[in-house]
Every structure is written in structure tokens, then in C-alpha cells.
Amino acid sequence: MKVRTRFAPSPTGHMHLGNLWIAFLNWLWTRQQGGTVILRIEDIDRDRCREEYVRGIENDLAWMGLDYDEGPGKTGPYGSAVQSERYDIYRQILSRMEKEGAIYPCYCSRSRIHQVLSAPHEGEERPVYDGHCRNLTAEERARMTKQPCWRLRMEDGSVSFRDLFLGTVTRHLKAGADDFVVRRADGLVAYQLAVSIDDGQMGVTHVFRGNDLLDSTPYQAFLIRKLGYPVPVYGHLPLLVDTRGIRLSKRQQGITIEELRNRGSRPEDLIGLLLYLAGGLSEPRSVSLKEALEHFPFEKLTALHKKHIVLPVS
Ligand code: GLU
Ligand code: ZN
């Protein structure tokens, strides 16, 4: 099986070390396996995304030498890797799911959903829906005036996926409670659906991303399987945090790659720093990409099993 992976940034800001960490590890592993790297631009939420950030991401990756085989300007066998150019695929799949009854319209008001979500649910840590609109009749639907969002009709059962660091992860999913939104009331495809369709339809075999997305993975694995695609293997990576424990991406002015470049950092300095953080070096030093590829097997990077990794500088 040929390995296919993706780095999937949302172009809502400049690329920082936290993004580069994921991009680099994904690239390193994939290239060591002789696989295909996809750069997928997750820009369905047009209000939050900017073209300038897409250019920035391309620029930073090119400067680092982290090349990709499919991405903006390089359409692969499964179509564009830019989500805003993939609406037709999403629409087709949504209409198929509607015909099959796999999704249903939900007319609940914002305040009703708010009430449901804030009610105590024993043993539940994630948002739960109460399935209110699951079984509306055709007449009841016809009487509604509000634009609905659409939810997945979940089945009771469990879903499992494999993670390179966590082993097999199994989660129970409940009909109703876990009926998550796949299409928003404003017509936008929900993030959860776009990611699942893309990972499935683009033949992604391994998903490397931050472990902050771990709670979404059971939903995505369920959906990918339901759509008839093989579920990828996951590699949920530790997040980089600053010395106060704050995630780099959450900080307003995290250290962007552009800033580091302007301050005189070279790509090999950043690679050395990332390898050090990953447990591959006892102290940071300059490492070329070629050396990283040949002498730093991904499997030997010991810190990747951690929950988070503290970046010792500000
Ligand atoms: N676009 C998401 C983000 O930038 C990542 C999605 C993923 O890797 O699955 O947070
Ligand atoms: Zn509802």
C-alpha cells in the first residue's frame, strides 16, 4: 500500500512553529516511507480564511524545503486539494446521504440547542444533542419555516481506529446524542464532514495532526467508514505549548515562521529545533532536511508519545 498523507492547514493566520511541527513530522514520516504528501487547504469557511495566508503557508513550506506532491496548483488523481474547489464533491455526497436517509434536517433554535447542551449529561464530556428532530414526519417538516442544519443519523454502537501512539482507540457512539452537524443552516459544509470526505475520497492512509483533534476522530472515522472508504491510521501528535502551558496556536502573536526568518533563523536551525523537541537530539543544532531524512527515523523520535511539549524559548 502506498502511503498518502496530508498536511491540512486552515488559512486563518500566519504559519507558526506549532503548524510547522505538524507539517515537518508529517513530511518526514511520509518521505521516509516513500509516500505522497498532500497539502490540503481547509478554506471552506470563507469568512475566516484569506488568500494571503494561503500564499504565506506555501511560501513558508517552500522556504523550509517541505515539498508536496498534490496541493494548490498541483491537482492529483482525486481532484483539487483546496476545499473551496471541492464543493461539488461535498454536495454530491450530501445529496446521496439525504436520499439514503443517513442525514436529517434539524430545525432546533439556537437557544434550544444551548439549553440541551448545557443540561447535565452524566458521564458525558462532549456536546450531546437530544435527537429532537430525528423523527419529524414529512408534514411536520413541511410546516417549518426556519432553514435547518443537517445532522448525521448516528447508530448506537462503537467505533475504533488505530493510532500510532495510542494503539487502538474505541469510543461508544449514541444515536441522537452524537448526531453531529454535517451541513450548517447557512448552507456551509461542516468541517467534520469536509475533513472526513477528503480523507476518505483522497485515499489518505495516515493522518498526522495535533492531539487537540482527538475528540473529533471517532466521528470522522465513523463517517469515513459509512461513506465506504477505508479508515486511515492516525498519529495524534503532542501540541507545542509555551512555558506557561499555552498552545502556540492559541496565542495571538505566536512566533510566526516569517518572524523567525526575519530574525535570521535558517531552515536547518528550525529543523534541528523540531528534532530536538521530538526527542531526536540531546540539544538543538543545525540539521539539513537530507540529514533529517537519512538519520532521524520517525519511529525513533521518543517525545512524540507525550501529551504536550514545552517550547523552552519565547
Ligand atoms: N484544518 C485543521 C486545522 O488547521 C486541521 C484538520 C486536520 O488535520 O484534520 O486545525
Ligand atoms: Zn433539532
Side-chain angles (χ1 to χ4, degrees):
M1 176 190 61
K2 184 147 157 90
V3 162
R4 288 173 62 81
T5 65
R6 80 317 191 273
F7 171 55
S10 304
T12 54
H14 292 289
M15 199 158 150
H16 53 76
L17 264 184
N19 307 125
L20 185 65
W21 164 251
I22 306 287
F24 169 68
L25 292 168
N26 180 62
W27 184 93
L28 183 71
W29 189 79
T30 310
R31 290 293 180 234
Q32 286 176 345
Q33 306 288 321
T36 297
V37 177
I38 305 167
L39 171 61
R40 188 165 78 220
I41 302 296
E42 304 215 314
D43 61 347
I44 28 172
D45 194 346
R46 300 304 286 164
D47 294 342
R48 294 179 54 231
C49 298
R50 282 208 239 140
E51 199 51 36
E52 138 196 19
Y53 295 137
V54 179
R55 297 289 90 79
I57 291 165
E58 291 172 333
N59 223 353
D60 291 339
L61 292 176
W63 176 69
M64 288 295 299
L66 303 176
D67 61 345
Y68 57 86
D69 307 299
E70 297 169 26
K74 286 189 185 180
T75 297
Y78 304 97
S80 171
V82 179
Q83 286 190 331
S84 59
E85 295 170 3
R86 293 173 58 80
Y87 285 125
D88 286 348
I89 298 175
Y90 306 142
R91 239 177 256 131
Q92 262 176 30
I93 292 181
L94 274 170
S95 80
R96 192 180 86 205
M97 292 173 89
E98 186 184 341
K99 283 198 197 91
E100 291 168 352
I103 58 176
Y104 64 89
C106 164
Y107 299 91
C108 292
S109 64
R110 220 176 264 264
S111 62
R112 184 172 185 283
I113 292 293
H114 190 75
Q115 262 174 18
V116 174
L117 295 188
S118 48
H121 303 279
E122 216 177 322
E124 283 292 350
E125 277 158 25
R126 54 182 188 256
V128 284
Y129 177 59
D130 62 356
H132 184 256
C133 300
R134 251 177 99 95
N135 300 312
L136 294 181
T137 62
E139 294 81 59
E140 285 169 318
R141 282 182 196 167
R143 278 202 299 274
M144 300 290 178
T145 50
K146 186 180 175 293
Q147 275 295 61
C149 70
W150 287 75
R151 293 180 181 273
L152 188 77
R153 191 180 292 279
M154 186 59 81
E155 298 140 28
D156 280 324
S158 64
V159 63
S160 297
F161 60 87
R162 205 159 75 74
D163 185 281
L164 291 179
F165 310 113
L166 304 168
T168 299
V169 179
T170 302
R171 288 282 153 79
H172 291 283
L173 295 173
K174 276 200 275 182
D178 288 312
D179 291 358
F180 60 91
V181 174
V182 291
R183 185 177 181 272
R184 299 178 0 183
D186 61 8
L188 266 190
V189 174
Y191 157 76
Q192 218 61 292
L193 181 77
V195 171
S196 308
I197 292 178
D198 290 350
D199 286 339
Q201 188 268 352
M202 297 170 101
V204 170
T205 60
H206 296 75
V207 170
F208 291 94
R209 59 182 176 192
N211 61 21
D212 55 323
L213 289 169
L214 194 52
D215 285 340
S216 290
T217 308
Y219 294 132
Q220 295 174 14
F222 178 87
L223 201 41
I224 292 170
R225 185 166 297 136
K226 186 159 186 75
L227 293 171
Y229 303 113
V231 177
V233 173
Y234 292 85
H236 288 94
L237 294 161
L239 296 182
L240 295 188
V241 300
D242 68 13
T243 45
R244 292 165 301 167
I246 300 175
R247 255 174 77 183
L248 295 192
S249 57
K250 287 268 168 73
R251 290 181 15 175
Q252 282 312 301
Q253 31 337 25
I255 317 156
T256 69
I257 305 308
E258 191 179 16
E259 271 164 23
L260 288 166
R261 181 161 61 232
N262 293 341
R263 281 198 229 159
S265 292
R266 297 166 306 155
E268 49 273 37
D269 301 326
L270 299 186
I271 290 162
L273 172 66
L274 295 177
L275 283 173
Y276 162 71
L277 294 173
L281 285 171
S282 52
E283 53 192 68
R285 65 168 171 86
S286 290
V287 177
S288 70
L289 264 192
K290 186 165 179 290
E291 189 187 347
L293 270 181
E294 289 168 6
H295 301 290
F296 292 87
F298 182 93
E299 293 78 9
K300 296 249 167 78
L301 300 175
T302 52
L304 298 183
H305 289 267
K306 292 188 179 172
K307 200 144 189 188
H308 49 249
I309 292 176
V310 180
L311 187 69
V313 290
S314 62

